[in-house]
Amino acid sequence: QDGGSPRNYAVLCHSEEATYPISSVFRDAANEGSAPAVFRVMDCDTVMAGSDKTVKQRFKLNDKTRPLVFVSGKQGPPKQVPAKLLKTGSMLSKALKNLLTPKAEKIETTQDLRTKCLDKEICGLL
């Protein structure tokens, strides 16, 4: 255990009633072990406790994308992984690293400052 520190999650939406197997892309990325995330599977059509919205509705997830994978946790609000990055397990692992690893951003305008820094939960300027 890591003492309860915040974690990042890679979540696969998979219906409890599904008759098809869990995505091989998601499974391969989880087995590879290089992504900085804890892998979880959940039924995103379930209504969230204390809400009248499903996980898909609450986080505005596009359910046309298959498999439907999103990241959530210490990196900020949930973000859906684009379909073009869901072709292989290694592509998904690389995408998760890019989505979850903090990085320097070039800021050239006030709008850049707002979207890349001020609107984020954590931001540092050099």
Side-chain angles (χ1 to χ4, degrees):
Q1 279 299 60
D2 61 7
S5 66
R7 296 180 179 174
N8 285 317
Y9 293 90
V11 181
L12 170 68
C13 292
H14 190 81
S15 172
E16 285 184 19
E17 282 96 43
T19 55
Y20 51 89
I22 287 178
S23 160
S24 61
V25 169
F26 188 80
R27 208 173 45 241
D28 290 350
N31 290 339
E32 184 187 75
S34 68
V38 177
F39 286 75
R40 295 287 185 251
V41 176
M42 78 181 307
D43 187 340
C44 297
D45 290 318
T46 301
V47 174
M48 296 171 64
S51 171
D52 58 351
K53 293 183 176 183
T54 66
V55 172
K56 284 181 190 173
Q57 293 166 335
R58 172 73 176 86
F59 299 136
K60 298 177 177 70
L61 302 174
N62 177 358
D63 60 1
K64 303 275 186 277
T65 302
R66 296 278 186 242
L68 199 169
V69 178
F70 68 95
V71 294
S72 181
K74 67 180 182 180
Q75 101 304 334
K79 284 185 251 174
Q80 187 167 350
V81 178
K84 66 183 179 183
L85 303 175
L86 296 168
K87 299 198 183 335
T88 67
S90 61
M91 283 178 78
L92 175 55
S93 288
K94 188 175 179 182
L96 292 172
K97 284 182 217 164
N98 287 335
L99 285 167
L100 299 172
T101 305
K103 56 192 166 290
E105 297 273 1
K106 186 173 185 178
I107 295 177
E108 298 181 294
T109 67
T110 304
Q111 183 62 31
D112 280 352
L113 177 62
R114 185 173 296 113
T115 59
K116 295 178 180 177
C117 188
L118 300 178
D119 289 347
K120 303 288 182 190
E121 195 170 303
I122 299 172
C123 170
L125 295 172
L126 296 176

